[in-house]
């Protein structure tokens, strides 16, 4: 069956004022100007590639804190995350990358088999962290923390290589590392992996053909990540001209996860000012540098499926990026650039690419808010048509 979508088209790089996207089975076979005929024709106000969130977690929690992320029962996490998968798809997200959780590898398998509805999931399996680091719930005895954690703890280059292999054994299709701590446990940012440990992780991952995503707060962690050869910098608080120039030179992707910081999580009084200053800098200096240096900026929310960071509202990252970039550049960050950063044939409406496409009510080049779930009419996932949250006719 030939499915044709007609309307104003953004193909991942440019606008076609009146065009048609032609689909057969799960692939795009052509994108042309004007209206084409097909076995089924869907007319939309605006057509663009499915959105991509390069940084999520399927934690399936209500309370959003490091202890809950680790203690959550895997059955609860799986049930809630299956619901979140459908929310993401009907909100226009056709590809996501989970960077550490207990259930994402299995969600990925089930989605590929057609057993659940949702976006393609690129899953890291368990993330890699240091003992006593940011994702180690230190309120628990060490042996219990390690047994319950969604991270593998490793503390030398040799242990780090083994941890990469353990993640691969789980079914990981990307490796997530903590080059620094964060604010999760209400502390000043703690060190993460050393440069030697990061180099071992990157070498072992690349040897297996997997990209490495590095959680990095502060110049030391960003610099170590660059020198180790990671593929994406996650969060990147504390970016400066020197590190930005190196990121640009090496073609590393920068994923600022702005939407994670518009939420005011409770932290101890002694840490609050420190956190506020870092976040304020991230929304100002960090982003000014990233845009002015022409970094490959991809959309990532760090949403986890909690009440504070619910899946389905992930378009917020695009809204926040629109403070610094024009709307076409924002759409690129959420489609073609994000697809490039993941190394997948998605994010473009182009012959031979996977038919992951959304049809929206109103033009997002006028307002990025037009990508809110209530404006998503249809989601085409691998050639199959689903109704979005904005579709009240079916």
């Amino acid at each position: 069956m030939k499915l044709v979508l007609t309307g104003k088209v953004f193909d991942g790089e440019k606008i076609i004022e009146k065009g048609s996207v032609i689909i057969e089975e799960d692939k795009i076979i052509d994108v042309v100007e004007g209206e084409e005929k097909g076995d089924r024709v869907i007319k939309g106000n605006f057509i663009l590639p499915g959105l991509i969130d390069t940084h999520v977690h399927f934690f399936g929690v209500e309370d959003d804190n490091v202890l809950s992320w680790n203690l959550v029962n895997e059955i609860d996490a799986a049930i809630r995350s299956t619901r979140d998968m459908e929310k993401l798809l009907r909100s226009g997200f056709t590809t996501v990358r989970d960077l550490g959780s207990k259930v994402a590898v299995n969600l990925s398998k089930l989605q590929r088999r057609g057993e659940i509805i949702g976006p393609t999931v690129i899953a890291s399996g368990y993330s890699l962290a240091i003992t006593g680091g940011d994702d180690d719930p230190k309120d628990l005895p060490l042996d219990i923390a390690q047994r319950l954690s969604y991270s593998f703890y490793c503390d030398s280059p040799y242990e780090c290589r083994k941890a990469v292999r353990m993640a691969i054994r789980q079914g990981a299709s990307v490796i997530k590392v903590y080059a620094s701590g964060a604010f999760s446990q209400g502390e000043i940012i703690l060190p993460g992996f050393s440069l030697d440990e990061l180099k071992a992780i990157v070498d072992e991952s690349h040897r297996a053909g997997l990209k490495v995503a590095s959680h990095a707060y502060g110049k030391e962690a960003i610099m170590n990540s660059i020198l180790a050869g990671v593929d994406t910098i996650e969060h990147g608080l504390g970016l400066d001209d020197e590190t930005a120039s190196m990121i640009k030179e090496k073609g590393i992707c920068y994923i600022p996860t702005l939407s994670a910081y518009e939420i005011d999580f409770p932290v101890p009084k002694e840490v609050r000012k420190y956190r506020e200053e870092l976040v304020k800098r991230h929304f100002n200096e960090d982003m000014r540098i990233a845009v002015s240096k022409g970094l490959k900026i991809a959309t990532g929310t760090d949403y986890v499926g909690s009440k504070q960071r619910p899946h389905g509202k992930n378009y917020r990252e695009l809204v926040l990026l629109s403070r610094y970039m024009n709307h076409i550049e924002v759409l690129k960050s959420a489609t073609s650039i994000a697809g490039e950063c993941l190394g997948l044939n998605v994010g473009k409406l182009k012959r031979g690419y996977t038919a992951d496409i959304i049809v929206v009510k109103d033009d997002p080049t006028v307002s990025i808010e037009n990508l809110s779930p209530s404006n998503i009419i249809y989601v085409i996932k691998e050639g199959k048509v689903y109704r979005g949250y904005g579709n009240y006719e079916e």
Side-chain angles (χ1 to χ4, degrees):
M1 185 184 83
K2 185 165 76 170
L3 171 65
V4 177
L5 311 176
T6 69
K8 187 173 182 179
V9 175
F10 171 70
D11 68 3
E13 295 175 333
K14 65 183 185 303
I15 294 288
I16 302 171
E17 287 296 334
K18 191 172 185 179
S20 296
V21 183
I22 304 166
I23 301 161
E24 285 189 1
E25 296 183 348
D26 63 343
K27 291 288 188 293
I28 297 169
I29 62 168
D30 212 351
V31 180
V32 299
E33 292 189 1
E35 291 191 8
E36 286 285 315
K37 294 181 179 180
D39 299 301
R40 181 180 181 185
V41 177
I42 295 175
K43 294 186 177 182
N45 292 341
F46 199 93
I47 299 159
L48 70 157
L51 303 176
I52 300 170
D53 191 332
T54 66
H55 190 135
V56 302
H57 298 274
F58 285 108
F59 284 151
V61 293
E62 294 186 54
D63 296 324
D64 201 343
N65 58 65
V66 70
L67 196 59
S68 295
W69 307 338
N70 284 273
L71 290 179
V72 64
N73 180 286
E74 288 188 31
I75 295 174
D76 290 344
I79 292 171
R80 292 168 181 160
S81 296
T82 299
R83 172 199 63 196
D84 286 340
M85 286 278 284
E86 184 167 354
K87 283 183 180 179
L88 280 161
L89 186 72
R90 296 195 190 278
S91 298
F93 284 83
T94 55
T95 303
V96 299
R97 183 175 61 162
D98 179 289
L99 292 179
S101 72
K102 298 179 180 181
V103 299
V105 167
N106 285 327
L107 292 175
S108 178
K109 291 177 182 176
L110 292 170
Q111 188 277 330
R112 290 198 307 270
R113 293 173 187 163
E115 295 183 41
I116 59 174
I117 294 172
T120 296
V121 179
I122 309 303
S124 71
Y126 285 14
S127 46
L128 275 57
I130 64 170
T131 302
D134 178 62
D135 265 30
D136 180 350
K138 293 184 279 295
D139 291 336
L140 301 176
L142 179 61
D143 61 326
I144 296 175
Q146 291 183 335
R147 179 164 56 84
L148 295 176
S149 181
Y150 60 88
S151 291
F152 291 127
Y153 302 134
C154 46
D155 302 299
S156 70
Y158 298 105
E159 287 189 3
C160 288
R161 286 186 183 274
K162 182 174 181 180
V164 171
R165 294 173 186 179
M166 289 170 68
I168 293 170
R169 185 180 186 275
Q170 283 185 322
S173 47
V174 63
I175 300 296
K176 160 70 177 298
V177 303
Y178 284 92
S180 75
F183 307 116
S184 301
Q185 300 195 55
E187 300 169 327
I188 302 298
I189 303 300
L190 298 172
F193 288 113
S194 68
L195 178 56
D196 285 345
E197 289 168 330
L198 284 172
K199 283 182 175 178
I201 291 168
V202 171
D203 179 66
E204 194 65 29
S205 302
H206 286 178
R207 198 163 71 92
L210 300 185
K211 292 180 180 290
V212 178
S214 179
H215 163 118
Y217 283 54
K219 181 166 183 176
E220 179 183 349
I222 295 173
M223 182 66 79
N224 282 346
S225 299
I226 297 166
L227 294 174
V230 305
D231 300 283
T232 65
I233 301 285
E234 310 296 317
H235 316 300
L237 282 73
L239 186 74
D240 64 10
D241 286 321
E242 181 184 14
T243 50
S245 295
M246 294 173 70
I247 288 170
K248 173 71 172 178
E249 179 185 351
K250 293 182 177 292
I252 297 169
C253 293
Y254 183 71
I255 301 166
T257 63
L258 297 171
S259 46
Y261 306 111
E262 68 174 344
I263 302 158
D264 188 23
F265 287 104
V267 295
K269 184 178 179 181
E270 59 272 20
V271 179
R272 175 162 291 278
K273 184 178 179 182
Y274 169 75
R275 182 188 189 278
E276 287 174 350
E277 288 175 353
L278 278 179
V279 169
K280 182 179 179 181
R281 187 187 191 283
H282 193 49
F283 274 93
N284 292 280
E285 191 70 4
D286 293 357
M287 287 305 300
R288 182 193 64 78
I289 292 170
V291 172
S292 66
K293 293 286 185 180
L295 302 191
K296 287 189 289 188
I297 300 172
T299 46
T301 60
D302 202 15
Y303 277 12
V304 303
S306 65
K307 291 178 181 177
Q308 296 97 324
R309 292 184 281 173
H311 290 308
K313 300 292 186 181
N314 307 60
Y315 81 102
R316 283 296 307 164
E317 186 70 15
L318 285 77
V319 174
L320 294 172
L321 282 177
S322 70
R323 297 179 182 179
Y324 316 97
M325 303 151 65
N326 67 48
H327 293 170
I328 293 293
E329 294 302 317
V330 172
L331 293 181
K332 288 180 180 178
S333 289
T335 57
S336 56
I337 292 174
E340 178 187 348
C341 291
L342 299 185
L344 301 176
N345 261 16
V346 294
K348 293 182 182 180
L349 305 184
K350 185 177 179 179
R351 183 179 299 176
Y353 271 56
T354 301
D356 286 355
I357 307 166
I358 60 175
V359 180
V360 300
K361 282 182 185 176
D362 299 306
D363 190 340
T365 65
V366 175
S367 171
I368 292 297
E369 286 284 357
N370 289 334
L371 289 173
S372 69
S374 62
N375 274 291
I376 308 300
I377 306 300
Y378 290 104
V379 179
I380 292 82
K381 176 62 187 162
E382 296 167 352
K384 294 181 181 179
V385 181
Y386 300 88
R387 62 186 179 93
Y389 282 124
N391 189 333
Y392 299 103
E393 299 175 357
E394 294 187 8

